[in-house]
Amino acid sequence: MSGFFWPIIDIEYVDSYPWVIVPPRSGPSAPFEEWDDIESWCLERAVDLWADRELDPGPAGVEFVGGTLARFADAFCPPGSDHWLFLHLDHPTDVPLPVCAAIGPAEEPRYPTLRALTEADDPNAVEPPVVKSFHSDYLGEGMTTFRYVSQEGSPHVLACVRYAWQVTEHAADVVVWTATEDVARIMHAAADLEGLARSLAIYIP
């Protein structure tokens, strides 16, 4: 019997409008040809962003947005990364909010695993994290947390959101996470972030 972990994240049901979706660089769902020339791929996504919003990019808008997307792709999906990256933007020139999603073999027992994956007991949290149950039609009953975390050497706290599920059918744990110093930004994106979490599924290749 093979010990290879087959389940991968399925993005079929994700509403792509608010997101630029950057695929993993490694793992069972990679390689993706986008990484052969990520700069060109991000320029194509920049063109799509301006067109979808029905906005005029001007003489430098496509290059500016494409360069921003490429920098975020490289920063949040370094070589060896096996997670998906979702970059949230309303306006093409917004600073993207990076959201990551990963899957791995289930760890038991379920409840402590979900608390660990969502960092529900984070000792570095400014105050006790807000912990809630969270249901997805595709992944079942999970957990979500919101917390503020101090940063060493910085006066700014990080606002952090996490979602996690243990999917017994596939013996898989799934976790979604994001963090930013811009609290207003994460609040503004909250509905899209929740929609993303509800739309992820599991696929067996």
Side-chain angles (χ1 to χ4, degrees), residues 47-59:
V47 171
D48 293 341
L49 281 170
W50 287 107
D52 288 345
R53 272 64 172 179
E54 299 182 344
L55 296 171
D56 180 3

Side-chain angles (χ1 to χ4, degrees), residues 119-126:
E119 301 194 14
D121 303 298
D122 184 1
N124 297 313
V126 173

Side-chain angles (χ1 to χ4, degrees), residues 119-122 125 127-131 145-147:
E119 301 194 14
D121 303 298
D122 184 1
E127 55 191 25
V130 177
V131 182
T145 60
F146 178 85
R147 71 193 198 284

Side-chain angles (χ1 to χ4, degrees), residues 19-95:
W19 306 98
V20 172
I21 304 173
V22 183
R25 300 187 75 164
S26 66
S29 55
F32 282 84
E33 64 181 13
E34 288 89 336
W35 283 104
D36 294 339
D37 188 348
I38 194 66
E39 289 79 11
S40 294
W41 182 81
C42 286
L43 283 173
E44 293 175 4
R45 299 288 75 72
V47 171
D48 293 341
L49 281 170
W50 287 107
D52 288 345
R53 272 64 172 179
E54 299 182 344
L55 296 171
D56 180 3
V62 170
E63 289 76 11
F64 173 79
V65 174
T68 299
L69 297 178
R71 287 192 296 274
F72 271 71
D74 283 329
F76 290 92
C77 278
S81 299
D82 60 0
H83 59 262
W84 288 84
L85 173 64
F86 302 85
L87 299 176
H88 183 273
L89 304 99
D90 285 327
H91 191 279
T93 59
D94 285 347
V95 175

Side-chain angles (χ1 to χ4, degrees), residues 5-10 103 169-172 201-205:
F5 181 70
W6 283 107
I8 62 176
I9 288 178
D10 185 353
I103 188 170
E169 176 187 357
H170 300 295
I202 289 179
Y203 172 70
I204 305 294

Side-chain angles (χ1 to χ4, degrees), residues 115-187:
R115 291 193 69 88
L117 290 174
T118 59
E119 301 194 14
D121 303 298
D122 184 1
N124 297 313
V126 173
E127 55 191 25
V130 177
V131 182
K132 298 179 180 179
S133 61
F134 185 84
H135 181 77
S136 161
D137 288 343
Y138 304 111
L139 300 178
E141 200 69 25
M143 182 180 292
T144 182
T145 60
F146 178 85
R147 71 193 198 284
Y148 293 108
V149 179
S150 298
Q151 301 184 85
E152 185 176 352
S154 172
H156 305 291
V157 298
L158 282 175
C160 307
V161 177
R162 282 184 169 246
Y163 297 85
W165 300 263
Q166 187 168 97
V167 185
T168 304
E169 176 187 357
H170 300 295
D173 290 335
V174 178
V175 60
V176 176
W177 71 96
T178 186
T180 179
E181 293 181 353
D182 189 345
V183 178
R185 181 77 173 83
I186 207 168
M187 296 299 184

